[in-house]
Amino acid sequence: MDKCPFHDAFENARKENGILEIEDQNDPVKMVLRHKDVRRTAHNWKTFKSGARPGRIVVPSEVNIRDTRQIPFEVDPPEHKEYRSLIEKWFRRPLNAEYESKLQEQIDRAVDKVLNGDPIEVVHDFALPIQSEALTFLLNVPFNESAIWISWGTHVFRSSDNPLDVDKANLLYEYLDQQIEHYSSHPGEDLYSLLLNVVFQGRNLSHEEIKGILILTFAGGRDTIINALTNTIAYFSDYPSELTRIKKNPELIPTAVEEFIRYFSPLTQMGRVVTEDAEVAGERIKENTRVSLCWASANRDDSVFEHPNKVIIDRKMNPHVGFGFSHHKCLGAHHARQVLKTFISALSRKVTKIEALDFEENIEDWKVFKRKVGYHSFQAKFNA
Ligand code: EMZ
């Protein structure tokens, strides 16, 4: 039985108007819902910019809780490309065989630990540690650092009672200030040292720029990966036969990963600020207002995906936008894909059955739409 479905929250609005407006801290957002419009709008950075006031393109807006610009995602071309090229090679390291085997060892160990038959809480005691431990490989810093990050919980700007938590954000900021300081006198083979030494427009990066890149590295791949891992568990608890199918046909893992990213769409949307009066999906959009690219809606567009509300793990054509689209496409995508692939591989090799016992859904509620992004908690039992 489908106990853990992820419904399409936008079907009617996408078919009827293609645009859905939400209120967000007196700075409304016109969400772009159709796959074609999302891609077109993402391409057009001159009219729909990312380099606005820091925090404004995020929904909910973070302008009231931070001043630091996250780089490269809050920067437009041509500077965007210059920043991105400094770190692109580093973010391709997850494709190396050595990185893959380190991940596999880590995730195999995590899965072995839950196989004793006792129920566990997946979000905090399984997905969060896996995400944080894997992040040590992306930064290439000591494994033990993950213990600190785990203590911050599932999101760096949100806590259970506050969606925009300044105190929490400051934990990360202070931590990064210390780390940048530390590595400036102890250079090594890590991401901090790389950033401290690169040359950008004939100079070194400033502390603030380095921090902006690191905040994004910590924040962007956190709740998104945690939700993707938990949701995958939820899916296999409903469809154990699909896990068996993958066990018999591990070559299905890459298409299964893409399909989960499409179906779960861990990031609902990302905003842009409009630089001149424009029109999207027949709707007039005024200068200096906000639009958003709704990845979650585009990924269920039936003019692009056949049976969009079904998980088809061997889906052939899958032009999903779960990692964004165009020049701002997710820099951490290689890492995220490897984590998910390794995770599914470990589950399929080691687990026969996942029993969902109890859970609390995490619903984004914007009044005009409600969307399930994952779980606040998920109790489950794993049988070897
Ligand atoms: C921002 C964003 C990046 C934002 C790709 O997404 O992730 C959100 O979780 C953060 O709150 O600041 O980093």
Side-chain angles (χ1 to χ4, degrees):
M1 193 193 62
D2 218 353
K3 267 166 77 180
C4 306
F6 287 78
H7 295 297
D8 175 8
F10 305 103
E11 190 176 357
N12 291 338
R14 183 177 57 245
K15 291 206 163 128
E16 277 161 29
N17 304 310
I19 298 279
L20 184 64
E21 182 161 334
I22 55 174
E23 185 46 63
D24 174 25
Q25 303 162 71
N26 298 319
D27 193 5
V29 182
K30 286 195 168 154
M31 301 172 67
V32 180
L33 301 178
R34 294 179 186 142
H35 191 272
K36 190 177 75 192
D37 293 330
V38 164
R39 297 219 288 190
R40 204 183 279 154
T41 308
H43 253 321
N44 183 359
W45 57 268
K46 284 193 173 144
T47 306
F48 305 100
K49 71 172 175 184
S50 298
R53 182 174 166 201
R56 193 169 175 215
I57 63 168
V58 182
V59 186
S61 169
E62 293 173 351
V63 294
N64 295 319
I65 57 161
R66 65 176 168 93
D67 305 310
T68 304
R69 181 174 300 286
Q70 291 183 19
I71 300 172
F73 112 103
E74 293 179 315
V75 183
D76 292 305
E79 269 202 322
H80 166 265
K81 191 169 180 184
E82 288 180 62
Y83 277 120
R84 195 162 161 131
S85 65
L86 301 175
I87 45 179
E88 220 148 26
K89 195 167 151 228
W90 182 271
F91 280 84
R92 269 201 302 274
R93 287 166 49 261
L95 301 174
N96 299 345
E98 194 202 337
Y99 194 105
E100 266 183 84
S101 68
K102 278 204 291 192
L103 258 186
Q104 173 155 8
E105 229 178 88
Q106 175 224 328
I107 293 178
D108 275 3
R109 230 184 306 130
V111 172
D112 285 337
K113 264 207 272 184
V114 304
L115 288 181
N116 63 9
D118 289 338
I120 62 153
E121 199 285 287
V122 171
V123 179
H124 296 87
D125 299 338
F126 194 37
L128 169 62
I130 289 177
Q131 180 276 335
S132 294
E133 290 166 4
L135 186 62
T136 64
F137 303 143
L138 186 61
L139 270 62
N140 205 27
V141 298
F143 193 77
N144 291 343
E145 285 302 299
S146 55
I148 301 175
W149 311 339
I150 291 167
S151 75
W152 297 338
T154 53
H155 199 286
V156 293
F157 297 124
R158 291 180 208 152
S159 49
S160 50
D161 53 348
N162 188 352
L164 294 165
D165 188 336
V166 190
D167 296 334
K168 195 158 183 199
N170 284 334
L171 281 180
L172 171 67
Y173 288 4
E174 280 160 27
Y175 173 81
L176 290 178
D177 286 338
Q178 286 165 9
Q179 294 293 303
I180 297 166
E181 199 57 42
H182 169 82
Y183 283 103
S184 62
S185 50
H186 300 80
E189 301 286 303
D190 48 87
L191 178 58
Y192 299 97
S193 303
L194 173 95
L195 297 174
L196 283 157
N197 286 296
V198 288
V199 177
F200 174 78
Q201 300 184 340
R203 59 168 177 86
N204 286 130
L205 292 176
S206 67
H207 180 95
E208 201 58 14
E209 287 169 315
I210 294 176
K211 204 165 147 182
I213 293 171
L214 290 165
I215 295 169
L216 179 57
T217 308
F218 273 88
R222 196 170 181 83
D223 54 318
T224 43
I225 290 190
I226 293 166
N227 285 335
L229 295 172
T230 309
N231 298 351
T232 299
I233 297 280
Y235 174 78
F236 285 132
S237 72
D238 275 345
Y239 295 94
S241 60
E242 290 297 86
L243 194 55
T244 316
R245 190 173 156 211
I246 290 176
K247 184 190 170 91
K248 289 193 191 130
N249 308 283
E251 70 282 359
L252 290 177
I253 292 176
T255 49
V257 166
E258 296 313 311
E259 180 65 346
F260 285 141
I261 300 288
R262 180 191 72 82
Y263 182 73
F264 301 137
S265 291
L267 185 66
T268 302
Q269 57 187 325
M270 185 51 74
R272 296 287 188 267
V273 172
V274 185
T275 60
E276 60 192 343
D277 289 358
E279 206 183 291
V280 181
E283 186 133 349
R284 302 201 54 75
I285 318 244
K286 278 214 148 26
E287 184 187 337
N288 198 30
T289 62
R290 300 197 292 165
V291 297
S292 82
L293 314 168
C294 185
W295 317 119
S297 168
N299 282 342
R300 299 290 180 104
D301 191 331
D302 67 0
S303 68
V304 177
F305 304 101
E306 232 178 285
H307 307 300
N309 299 318
K310 255 182 85 176
V311 175
I312 302 175
I313 60 172
D314 57 352
R315 194 182 278 278
K316 302 282 164 331
M317 292 286 286
N318 197 346
H320 72 76
V321 289
F323 286 116
F325 185 70
S326 194
H327 51 292
H328 278 292
K329 215 167 179 172
C330 177
L331 199 48
H334 295 308
H335 174 78
R337 285 189 167 106
Q338 291 294 36
V339 170
L340 266 185
K341 275 185 201 167
T342 315
F343 184 62
I344 294 172
S345 155
L347 290 178
S348 69
R349 281 180 284 113
K350 294 169 183 287
V351 179
T352 51
K353 198 176 144 211
I354 301 169
E355 216 178 309
L357 302 172
D358 196 12
F359 48 77
E360 190 196 339
E361 296 182 329
N362 178 359
I363 312 273
E364 270 180 28
D365 184 354
W366 287 92
K367 297 203 175 75
V368 290
F369 79 87
K370 290 189 195 352
R371 173 173 192 258
K372 174 169 153 192
V373 284
Y375 295 88
H376 290 303
S377 67
F378 194 97
Q379 307 281 339
K381 239 164 79 175
F382 294 78
N383 297 330

